[in-house]
Amino acid sequence: MSKPTSFICEHTAEYVLVPALKRILQKGYEFVTPIFPWMTREGSNISKEIHIDEKFQILGLYPRRPKLANIKNSEILVNINKDIKVGAESALKHGIPMVAGCPLASNLFELGKEPNCMWIKLCESTNESYRVDMDAEQVKSICLQHEHVFDTDENLINYSIANCSFLSLPEALEAFKDIKMKSTKLEFFHPMSFMGGYKPVYFLMK
């Protein structure tokens, strides 16, 4: 059996995951805006001035790719890298819980049909990998048997509400820097630190 690999990149997975997670979060929050923060854009002086009196609850999402051993194998593998877990542990200390998301699709056609998505709570005890048999009659039921996988939208929302702190935009930006540094093992922040590596999408909510 060949080494599992994916037919898409994380950025392509984002296009499916971000609107799906936003729809879920809107069931529990009036305001939900996903951002892919840059210090010179979302972190600019004008952005800080516009939102100077605002505080947000924030949930982070690390997109994951569905991996296949070969085109005849119906099993999807979802990997949780160590760097992502380190970033998630750092985020939780700032009051920003993190989840990993993966679209359960084995080709581009399935990806374009609003596939089921697996949402995984990221913490120290999160598994390194999760496997889903796409030929199973109840794919969603099968994936929910895994530890740390959210079994309902309500449970994901409740986890977010229970673990999100209220942060001002400057506080959030400093947290984003620290999360990136911890996940990439950097001792100090540099503007180029946001290039490369794993970078989550953050959902600002009220």
Side-chain angles (χ1 to χ4, degrees):
M1 182 177 291
S2 59
K3 181 180 178 181
T5 188
S6 187
F7 59 96
I8 60 171
C9 66
E10 279 90 357
H11 197 45
T12 297
E14 283 178 20
Y15 286 117
V16 176
L17 295 167
V18 170
L21 185 53
K22 181 178 179 179
R23 285 193 294 269
I24 292 173
L25 294 172
Q26 284 177 323
K27 297 176 184 178
Y29 294 90
E30 182 178 349
F31 160 85
V32 180
T33 295
I35 64 170
F36 192 73
W38 286 87
M39 295 302 113
T40 55
R41 302 296 189 272
E42 288 81 4
S44 65
N45 288 335
I46 190 169
S47 180
K48 293 175 183 176
E49 185 176 349
I50 291 170
H51 306 101
I52 190 169
D53 296 321
E54 302 292 343
K55 285 184 177 288
F56 306 94
Q57 287 190 299
I58 303 172
L59 178 73
L61 166 68
Y62 278 111
R64 300 281 74 210
R65 300 176 294 157
K67 293 190 174 184
L68 311 172
N70 57 65
I71 60 174
K72 295 182 180 179
N73 192 330
S74 64
E75 188 175 72
I76 284 179
L77 177 69
V78 184
N79 284 335
I80 305 297
N81 306 63
K82 183 178 180 181
D83 291 347
I84 287 176
K85 291 176 67 173
V86 171
E89 291 170 20
S90 173
L92 201 53
K93 293 177 182 178
H94 289 281
I96 302 175
M98 291 282 207
V99 299
C102 181
L104 298 178
S106 55
N107 56 57
L108 294 174
F109 300 101
E110 293 176 358
L111 193 69
K113 294 182 178 179
E114 297 188 0
N116 288 321
C117 296
M118 176 184 278
W119 308 109
I120 305 167
K121 178 173 68 175
L122 291 174
C123 59
E124 186 176 358
S125 57
T126 301
N127 297 346
E128 293 182 357
S129 63
Y130 296 81
R131 296 180 182 274
V132 180
D133 184 359
M134 293 297 288
D135 278 347
E137 291 185 8
Q138 297 293 331
V139 172
K140 191 170 184 180
S141 296
I142 293 295
C143 76
L144 294 181
Q145 294 175 14
H146 292 296
E147 187 179 9
H148 298 304
V149 175
F150 290 100
D151 56 353
T152 66
D153 294 350
E154 183 180 8
N155 283 346
L156 197 164
I157 293 168
N158 289 340
Y159 174 73
S160 174
I161 292 173
N163 290 277
C164 287
S165 298
F166 282 94
L167 301 175
S168 66
L169 187 58
E171 290 171 334
L173 293 166
E174 289 304 311
F176 299 158
K177 291 180 184 179
D178 186 57
I179 293 163
K180 182 62 176 177
M181 287 190 293
K182 293 293 193 304
S183 66
T184 52
K185 302 179 179 64
L186 295 174
E187 294 183 1
F188 59 91
F189 179 79
H190 185 276
M192 296 301 291
S193 301
F194 266 63
M195 300 293 290
Y198 298 106
K199 186 178 176 184
V201 176
Y202 293 99
F203 291 76
L204 276 57
M205 306 168 296
K206 294 190 75 172

